[in-house]
Each structure stands twice: as C-alpha cells, then as structure tokens.
C-alpha cells in the first residue's frame, strides 16, 4: 500500500518537505458544477439575476481563493502562481466551472485549482440563492495535472453526481475513455434557444461507456477558446456540434483546424455523405476531423438530424479508430 505523503512514520500530520524537489512547470485543471434550475441558468446567461455580474464575481472569487489556498488548507505550501484561469459553461440545468492553475516550483497546484472551483461555485450559490436556494455544488474533481516526476496525469473516469448511477440510470461498463461535447451556438449560449444537439451526443457517448464532460456551450465568436478548453485535459474524444455551415459567424472548422496535429478527412467526408442521403443541404457542412495529440476531434452539424447522421457514420469505425490512435488496432 502506498504511504500517504502528509503523514510521518508515526502517523502524525506533517507538511511535506519539498526542498529537494526540482522546480518544473506545473499545471492542474479542476472542474465542478452548480446544479440549479433552467430559470437560473437562463438568468445568469442573460446577466439578469437580482445580483448582477454573477460570473465576473465568481471568477474573481475563484482566482482570489486559489492565491490563498495555503491559508485555507493547513498543509499546503505557499506557491507563487503564474496563472489562474476560471471559466464557466452551461448545460440546461447547471453552470459548469473549470479552473486552471499554473506555477513553476517544486510541488503541484492541484489544490489551488480545486479551491478555485469550489469557491467560485460557492460564490455562484450565494449569487443565485434568492432564486434557487436548493442549488447543489457537485462533482468538484481534478481533471488533469502535469509537471514533476510523474509527468502528465489525466482523469479517465467521471462518476455520477453522487458517485453512483442516478435514479433510473444503469451502471456503464468502465472503458477508461473520456469525451467532451462542445456546442457552438450563439442562441443557446444566450439562453434564447434550446440545446437540441448536445444532449443527443452526450447520451450516445454515455451509452458507449464514455465518461462525458458537457455539453459545453459557447457562442460562435467564442468557439475557439471553448474548443481549446475542451481539448486541454486530453480526453479520448471531443465531438462538436454547430458552427460548420457557410454563415459569416460559423467558425468551428477554423477553430478545429488551428488545433489539429493531423487531419482525418475521410471521417468528415463520411459524415457529409451520410447527411447527403437525407438532405442536399449536407453538402454545405464544412466540418472537419482530426487528432490533437491522442485526442480525436470531430465536427458535427448543428441540427438534430445532422447529428444523428454524423453519429451513425461514426458508430461502425469509432472503436477501431480509437484503438489505432492509442497504438493498437489491426492495420492489415
């Protein structure tokens, strides 16, 4: 059994001596969510809560908390943080929070990232409690970390909100595969349209045993930052929906191409071909697919029909594709 680092040989709590460790760049990403009502989500998106500037206030609170983690958690070291970023996204019934903390030093910044998420979420709760006093802070967890002798670590599971399947849910087979769903829609981000595609993709992925993050919703103008954020923790798969057409605001393909290390043009063509069987408008989709490191990124259209066609095209090749990306799979 591995010894706990914060206990001495007599079982007493201690502050770990890191003076002999090498200074390296260390980055940690943590996430969580405030589960609330669709009304609150719409109000926050529209910046129409009784207490204004909800997200800005929560962001500042999270950053300030990360900087003071050593005062809040008794055995943490005082770190010179290079950067703390706190970002928010939305689902129909939650506000998701992700924090990235960075430093160069002898010890990691996991606790700073986790503290930023927790305090940002508590601040959100304080800001929305007049409308929804039953809001729940949930799922605060470390997503990834890098630096130090252990190198890069990425979370490969994401349990349900209580750590077990929820009411009416069935446990899924643990595949060790993670995914993120990214929705590009200015209307959904503003709360003026319903997200009709992100939940479809999430459900499909969960049925295949993926631990899924999202849907993460971004306005078209913000999709580049949103996609980079989804890819950063290194999930197995990122599936986007929306922003692939010929409209002046459609920017998902450009945002994707800026990140890709290698394209997988056959996947994008297969998705378009499948869509053409249902509508000639599918030819207008500019969606792309490819690899960012070992993460597969696939663009799907922004309509429910287009998403269903795209998932149908992905279904027979997905396992083989992921096996090849991971270094396995038959090549004959």
């Amino acid at each position: 059994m591995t010894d706990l680092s914060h206990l001495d040989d007599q079982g007493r709590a201690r502050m770990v001596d890191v003076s002999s460790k090498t200074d390296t760049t260390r980055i940690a990403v943590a996430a969580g969510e405030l589960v609330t009502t669709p009304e609150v989500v719409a109000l926050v998106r529209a910046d129409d809560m009784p207490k204004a500037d909800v997200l800005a206030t929560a962001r500042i609170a999270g950053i300030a908390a990360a900087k003071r983690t050593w005062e809040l958690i008794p055995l943490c070291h005082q770190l010179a943080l290079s950067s703390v970023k706190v970002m928010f996204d939305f689902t129909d019934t939650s506000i998701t929070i992700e924090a990235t903390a960075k430093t160069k030093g002898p010890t990691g910044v996991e606790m700073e990232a986790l503290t930023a998420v927790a305090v940002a979420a508590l601040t959100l709760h304080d800001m929305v409690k007049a409308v929804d006093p039953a809001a729940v802070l949930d799922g605060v967890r470390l997503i990834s970390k890098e630096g130090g002798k252990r190198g890069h670590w990425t979370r490969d599971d994401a349990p349900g909100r209580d750590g077990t399947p929820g009411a009416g849910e069935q446990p899924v087979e643990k595949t060790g595969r993670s995914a993120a769903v990214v929705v590009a829609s200015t209307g959904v981000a503003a709360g003026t349209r319903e997200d009709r595609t992100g939940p479809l993709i999430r459900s499909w992925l969960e049925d295949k045993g993926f631990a899924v993050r999202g849907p993460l919703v971004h306005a078209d103008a913000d999709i580049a930052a949103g996609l980079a954020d989804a890819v950063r923790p290194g999930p197995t798969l990122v599936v986007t929906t929306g922003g692939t057409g010929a409209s002046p605001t459609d920017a998902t393909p450009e945002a994707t191409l800026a990140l890709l290390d290698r394209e997988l043009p056959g996947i994008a063509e297969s998705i378009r071909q499948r869509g053409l069987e249902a509508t000639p408008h599918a030819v207008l989709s500019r969606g792309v697919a490819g690899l960012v490191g070992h993460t597969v990124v696939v663009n799907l259209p922004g309509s429910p029909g287009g998403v269903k066609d795209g998932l149908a095209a992905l279904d027979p090749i997905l396992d083989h594709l992921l096996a090849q990306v991971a270094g396995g799979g038959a090549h004959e």
Side-chain angles (χ1 to χ4, degrees):
M1 180 177 176
T2 303
D3 292 334
L4 295 175
S5 61
H6 285 77
L7 297 179
D8 64 17
D9 56 7
Q10 297 182 11
R12 296 174 300 194
R14 64 166 184 171
M15 186 175 186
V16 177
D17 184 354
V18 298
S19 59
S20 63
K21 293 187 177 181
T22 303
D23 284 358
T24 63
T25 297
R26 299 170 186 265
I27 303 171
V29 180
E33 64 178 343
L34 186 76
V35 183
T36 182
T37 65
E39 178 190 9
V40 167
V41 171
L43 288 170
V44 172
R45 280 177 165 170
D47 196 19
D48 201 23
M49 289 292 295
K51 297 180 180 180
D53 298 324
V54 172
L55 297 184
T57 303
R59 179 178 291 108
I60 293 170
I63 293 170
K67 294 165 66 176
R68 302 186 68 175
T69 299
W70 65 281
E71 294 182 289
L72 301 170
I73 311 296
L75 302 179
C76 282
H77 296 82
Q78 184 175 4
L79 300 182
L81 293 173
S82 307
S83 172
V84 181
K85 296 180 181 178
V86 179
M87 301 179 65
F88 303 97
D89 283 300
F90 301 94
T91 71
D92 290 342
T93 58
S94 70
I95 304 170
T96 64
I97 309 111
E98 183 175 286
T100 302
K102 183 177 181 180
T103 190
K104 186 172 183 179
T107 190
V109 286
E110 299 96 316
M111 294 310 302
E112 284 72 13
L114 288 162
T115 300
V117 169
V119 173
L122 289 170
T123 303
L124 287 175
H125 194 294
D126 181 49
M127 301 289 278
V128 309
K129 65 187 180 186
V131 180
D132 179 21
V136 175
L137 168 57
D138 193 19
V140 176
R141 64 206 183 277
L142 186 66
I143 299 296
S144 67
K145 63 176 181 175
E146 58 185 87
K149 67 179 182 181
R150 290 187 174 88
H152 184 77
W153 175 90
T154 300
R155 188 179 195 86
D156 62 3
D157 70 297
R161 289 175 179 165
D162 60 355
T164 61
E169 296 177 351
Q170 296 298 318
V172 297
E173 180 183 357
K174 294 296 182 182
T175 64
R177 302 192 300 193
S178 58
V181 180
V182 180
V183 178
S185 172
T186 301
V188 174
T192 59
R193 291 180 56 188
E194 178 187 0
D195 179 10
R196 300 173 60 207
T197 56
L200 287 177
I201 300 170
R202 180 184 177 104
S203 178
W204 183 80
L205 290 166
E206 287 179 335
D207 286 346
K208 291 185 169 298
F210 283 84
V212 184
R213 179 180 170 223
L216 308 174
V217 180
H218 299 274
D220 289 300
D222 300 326
I223 192 58
L227 184 56
D229 166 68
V231 168
R232 187 180 301 114
T236 310
L237 176 65
V238 173
V239 182
T240 76
T241 171
T244 62
S247 166
T249 60
D250 288 331
T252 302
E254 287 77 14
T256 305
L257 288 169
L259 296 173
L260 293 184
D261 299 315
R262 289 191 290 167
E263 284 192 67
L264 297 169
I267 293 177
E269 292 305 322
S270 175
I271 292 170
R272 269 187 287 275
Q273 188 60 45
R274 187 74 178 226
L276 281 169
E277 296 174 8
T279 172
H281 294 166
V283 75
L284 299 176
S285 175
R286 300 182 300 112
V288 298
L291 298 172
V292 181
H294 288 82
T295 297
V296 176
V297 182
V298 179
N299 297 160
L300 297 183
S303 67
V307 163
K308 291 176 182 177
D309 291 336
L311 296 178
L314 278 177
D315 193 72
I317 66 166
L318 184 61
D319 289 340
H320 182 65
L321 167 63
L322 298 182
Q324 284 202 351
V325 172
H331 294 266
E332 292 78 16

